[in-house]
């Protein structure tokens, strides 16, 4: 992609209410633009990142035998009336009336919708065991949307829902989905931890939040001091990586009198219930003062909520004895748009974003410093074409701008590899390669440069 033909204008002035690094940087790089509070247009650069995250999420869901559907954003209230949640969800639920006076909601989550949908097709226990998912916009009328897309009102979420015959089948599914969440976050490649959590509005007994560790995060995660080094240095950490690891989510803190602990869930075939976990906390010898406290933001969540929705909505299957049976459900959500902001907060410096290669909008930024010089431009164009032909995601700064502006913008946008071409480099048949994350610079032939890029 050539910048001269792209829709991207970096911004100097941004609104004063943009406080967090990710919010500022997403506005300065024109990744998004606010429409009204908490509602954003995704502009081309931002959309590329969003789509890359979506791709990772989709691949891992498919790999975990989840089946994709696409549910509507607007839902009828009747399933919500049946579950009893319409009146208790609160003001975050956006309600509308259509011209026929039907009351609709803009879906904040889809437990009711999918329970109804699923049982429209599945009436026998033999057909249970399936996980359906979609990646769709959600709406929650947050009282204080903040941090840009970090806490929006309209946001993109991937949501999977499982239906199983027995608690043991359901918990095996939970474990499979828990492992899938770890793979998604490990592919993104930034530090996070899985913490025990209360299931909140959705309800249920088993719940894990996946918290990305960022200084400005609105949650607080606690973990054992000796895991600190691992959390900081590893590209991802999962319960299965830690024998007897300890973590605790902020909302459990008030429950803790003195101690907490967590077993390695990979040792057990199924996760332990929150109740068991809390009992262990009380009986363990770890004190809260021994724990490392770090700000974090929830980017994904697993819930197991048994037959809460199937029973309350009276949606059932017939079991082997011809009797009524309520399937056991779980839900598994990833904040796709929130992840974009969380990644930037976890990976930037004072000059701009430092994209992990896994989700970078482009892999290579090619800069021509002497656009006015026809020979240099021909050389740069050749390099651009070679990169494109080799299948490299390249963004080519072919604008008539000064070197200062081009380098400044390249640092701001944060594409992992910066390739510079100038009159002098052209004369020597070389290019300059700079790594955004380490600032390391090398002068190389184009072929050498390609080897370095391909190796990553
Ligand atoms: P939070 O506690 O941050 O309000 P939640 O626990 O209510 O989130 P879930 O119902 O678990 O959210 O939704 C699944 C995922 O959707 C969350 O893990 C989060 O990443 C994302 N998410 C939730 N609310 C928002 C929002 N307002 N803006 C952006 N992403 C969100
Ligand atoms: Mg949650």
């Amino acid at each position: 992609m050539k910048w001269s033909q792209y829709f991207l204008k970096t911004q100097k002035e941004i609104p004063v209410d943009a406080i967090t690094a990710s919010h500022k940087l997403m506005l300065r790089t024109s990744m998004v633009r606010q429409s009204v509070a908490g509602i954003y247009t995704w502009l081309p650069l931002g959309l590329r990142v969003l789509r890359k995250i979506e791709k990772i999420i989709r691949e891992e869901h498919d790999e975990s035998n989840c089946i994709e559907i696409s549910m509507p954003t607007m839902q009828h209230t009747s399933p919500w009336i049946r579950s009893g949640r319409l009146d208790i969800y609160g003001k975050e639920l956006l309600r509308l009336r259509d011209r026929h006076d039907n009351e609709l909601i803009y879906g904040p989550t889809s437990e009711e919708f999918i329970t109804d949908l699923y049982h429209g097709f599945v009436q026998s226990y033999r057909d249970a065991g399936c996980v359906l998912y979609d990646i769709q916009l959600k709406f929650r009328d947050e009282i204080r949307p903040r941090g840009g897309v970090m806490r929006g009102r309209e946001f993109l979420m991937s949501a999977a829902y499982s239906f199983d015959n027995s608690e043991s089948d359901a918990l095996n599914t939970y474990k499979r989905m828990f492992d899938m969440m770890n793979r998604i976050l490990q592919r993104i490649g930034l530090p996070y931890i899985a913490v025990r959590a209360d299931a909140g509005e959705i309800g249920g007994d088993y719940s894990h939040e996946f918290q990305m560790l960022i200084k400005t995060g609105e949650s607080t995660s606690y973990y054992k001091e000796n895991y600190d080094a691992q959390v900081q240095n590893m590209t991802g950490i999962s319960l299965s990586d830690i024998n007897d690891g300890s973590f605790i989510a902020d909302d459990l803190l008030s429950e803790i009198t003195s101690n907490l602990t967590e077993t390695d869930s990979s040792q057990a075939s199924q996760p332990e219930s929150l109740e068991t976990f809390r009992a262990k906390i009380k009986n363990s010898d770890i004190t809260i003062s021994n724990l490392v406290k770090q700000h974090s933001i929830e980017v994904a969540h697993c819930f197991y909520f048994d037959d809460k929705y199937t029973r309350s909505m009276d949606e059932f299957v017939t079991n082997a004895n011809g009797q009524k049976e309520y399937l056991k459900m779980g839900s598994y959500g990833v904040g796709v748009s929130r992840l974009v902001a969380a990644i930037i907060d976890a990976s930037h410096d004072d000059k701009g974003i430092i994209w992990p290669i896994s989700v970078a909008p482009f892999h290579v930024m090619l800069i021509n410093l002497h656009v006015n010089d026809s020979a240099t431009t021909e050389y740069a164009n050749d390099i651009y074409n070679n990169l494109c032909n080799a299948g490299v995601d390249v963004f080519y700064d072919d604008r008539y701008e000064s070197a200062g502006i081009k380098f400044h913008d390249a640092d701001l946008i944060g594409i992992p590899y910066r390739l510079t071409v100038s009159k002098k480099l052209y004369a020597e048949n070389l290019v300059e390669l700079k790594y955004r994350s380490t600032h390391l610079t090398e002068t190389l032939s184009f072929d050498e440069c390609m080897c370095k890029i391909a190796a990553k």
Side-chain angles (χ1 to χ4, degrees):
M1 178 56 65
K2 293 182 177 173
W3 194 326
S4 62
Q5 293 165 13
Y6 204 46
F7 190 73
L8 169 59
K9 297 258 181 272
T10 54
Q11 308 291 315
K12 286 199 183 70
E13 304 296 326
I14 48 165
V16 286
D17 63 351
I19 296 162
T20 57
S22 59
H23 193 185
K24 287 184 193 163
L25 289 167
M26 288 184 76
L27 294 175
R28 287 181 63 203
T29 55
S30 292
M31 290 178 65
V32 290
R33 185 179 170 92
Q34 184 173 293
S35 160
V36 292
I39 302 180
Y40 289 84
T41 301
W42 285 82
L43 295 165
L45 194 72
L47 191 61
R48 285 184 80 93
V49 179
L50 197 69
R51 293 285 180 255
K52 290 206 171 176
I53 296 173
E54 246 183 79
K55 183 167 182 280
I56 292 175
I57 292 172
R58 186 170 279 116
E59 283 171 4
E60 292 301 337
H61 275 75
D62 293 349
E63 185 67 25
S64 305
N65 282 341
C66 304
I67 301 159
E68 186 170 6
I69 59 173
S70 178
M71 290 180 268
T73 52
M74 304 300 292
Q75 301 177 13
H76 201 278
T77 48
S78 65
W80 286 71
I81 294 169
R82 285 163 62 208
S83 76
R85 209 161 43 146
L86 187 67
D87 293 328
I88 56 173
Y89 200 93
K91 289 193 168 173
E92 282 184 14
L93 191 65
L94 182 68
R95 303 178 181 213
L96 306 103
R97 258 180 210 288
D98 69 13
R99 62 167 69 191
H100 304 294
D101 220 25
N102 288 316
E103 199 184 5
L104 302 174
I105 55 161
Y106 190 146
T109 180
S110 305
E111 283 77 14
E112 285 83 353
F113 187 91
I114 201 142
T115 303
D116 180 65
L117 177 93
Y118 188 84
H119 289 85
F121 295 90
V122 175
Q123 282 96 36
S124 160
Y125 77 103
R126 283 197 200 86
D127 295 329
C130 163
V131 182
L132 298 176
Y133 79 99
D134 79 348
I135 302 179
Q136 178 61 286
L137 289 171
K138 299 280 180 286
F139 195 95
R140 294 182 188 173
D141 204 355
E142 301 269 356
I143 188 162
R144 265 186 299 280
R146 58 187 175 275
V149 299
M150 190 71 93
R151 181 170 296 285
R153 292 200 294 164
E154 187 183 60
F155 59 95
L156 191 64
M157 183 169 134
S158 96
Y161 299 90
S162 60
F163 297 85
D164 282 291
N165 280 311
S166 65
E167 173 158 316
S168 95
D169 285 354
L171 294 183
N172 283 332
T173 303
Y174 185 94
K175 180 70 171 62
R176 184 171 102 228
M177 298 302 284
F178 179 89
D179 292 343
M180 178 200 73
M181 291 296 192
N182 278 307
R183 286 200 306 279
I184 290 171
L185 294 172
Q186 280 162 10
R187 277 182 68 178
I188 290 172
L190 291 169
Y192 72 92
I193 53 173
V195 299
R196 298 301 299 234
D198 262 332
E201 201 73 72
I202 291 173
D205 294 332
Y206 299 85
S207 170
H208 282 90
E209 288 178 1
F210 293 79
Q211 296 272 348
M212 198 169 263
L213 303 177
I214 56 174
K215 288 196 189 78
T216 48
E218 57 186 57
S219 307
T220 312
S221 293
Y222 293 83
Y223 46 93
K224 251 185 181 173
E225 191 152 21
N226 44 334
Y227 300 117
D228 192 31
Q230 286 189 58
V231 171
Q232 302 301 335
N233 296 329
M234 286 175 60
T235 52
I237 194 158
S238 71
L239 283 183
S240 52
D241 289 318
I242 302 175
N243 294 326
D244 88 337
S246 298
F247 342 90
I248 189 103
D250 197 26
D251 51 358
L252 286 182
L253 188 58
S254 57
E255 307 265 345
I256 298 171
T257 45
S258 57
N259 305 314
L260 57 150
T261 189
E262 159 77 294
T263 56
D264 172 7
S265 78
S266 70
Q267 299 294 313
S269 61
Q270 293 164 356
E272 64 186 4
S273 74
L274 191 56
E275 213 175 296
T276 318
F277 177 63
R278 281 179 174 151
K280 281 196 174 180
I281 288 169
K282 294 224 163 70
N283 295 329
S284 77
D285 57 358
I286 306 160
T287 66
I288 195 83
S289 57
N290 292 339
L291 295 171
V292 177
K293 177 179 175 182
Q294 178 146 349
H295 285 288
S296 59
I297 182 79
E298 178 192 325
V299 291
H301 206 154
C302 291
F303 298 100
Y304 169 64
F305 39 79
D306 205 314
D307 60 5
K308 179 176 152 89
Y309 292 94
T310 46
R311 188 175 287 278
S312 61
M313 293 171 68
D314 200 29
E315 292 285 7
F316 54 87
V317 296
T318 307
N319 69 17
N321 305 321
Q323 288 160 338
K324 204 169 167 177
E325 180 189 296
Y326 294 109
L327 296 179
K328 322 271 187 201
M329 291 176 63
S331 76
Y332 316 88
V334 188
V336 188
S337 47
R338 175 176 289 181
L339 264 171
V340 180
I343 290 166
I344 296 174
D345 270 328
S347 184
H348 67 273
D349 61 16
D350 55 351
K351 293 193 162 83
I353 305 169
I354 304 173
W355 287 114
I357 197 107
S358 56
V359 298
F362 295 93
H363 286 173
V364 173
M365 174 118 187
L366 173 64
I367 296 182
N368 178 4
L369 289 184
H370 297 120
V371 181
N372 284 321
D373 183 73
S374 59
T376 308
T377 296
E378 206 174 304
Y379 179 59
N381 288 348
D382 275 352
I383 289 175
Y384 174 65
N385 290 332
N386 284 334
L387 286 165
C388 291
N389 292 339
V392 176
D393 248 354
V394 54
F395 190 48
Y396 178 15
D397 190 350
D398 59 341
R399 297 172 302 164
Y400 287 88
E401 293 287 1
S402 68
I405 289 180
K406 290 190 173 191
F407 288 148
H408 171 275
D409 283 350
D411 281 343
L412 184 66
I413 295 169
I415 294 168
Y417 303 103
R418 191 186 84 188
L419 227 64
T420 305
V421 168
S422 66
K423 252 192 222 176
K424 182 166 177 288
L425 287 161
Y426 157 65
E428 294 165 355
N429 205 22
L430 295 171
V431 294
E432 183 196 83
L433 174 64
K434 185 170 179 190
Y435 300 86
R436 179 65 184 87
S437 58
T438 59
H439 305 288
L440 192 83
T441 307
E442 297 175 284
T443 306
L444 307 159
S445 72
F446 177 67
D447 287 346
E448 286 169 331
C449 185
M450 280 302 276
C451 291
K452 301 251 172 174
I453 293 170
K456 298 282 167 169

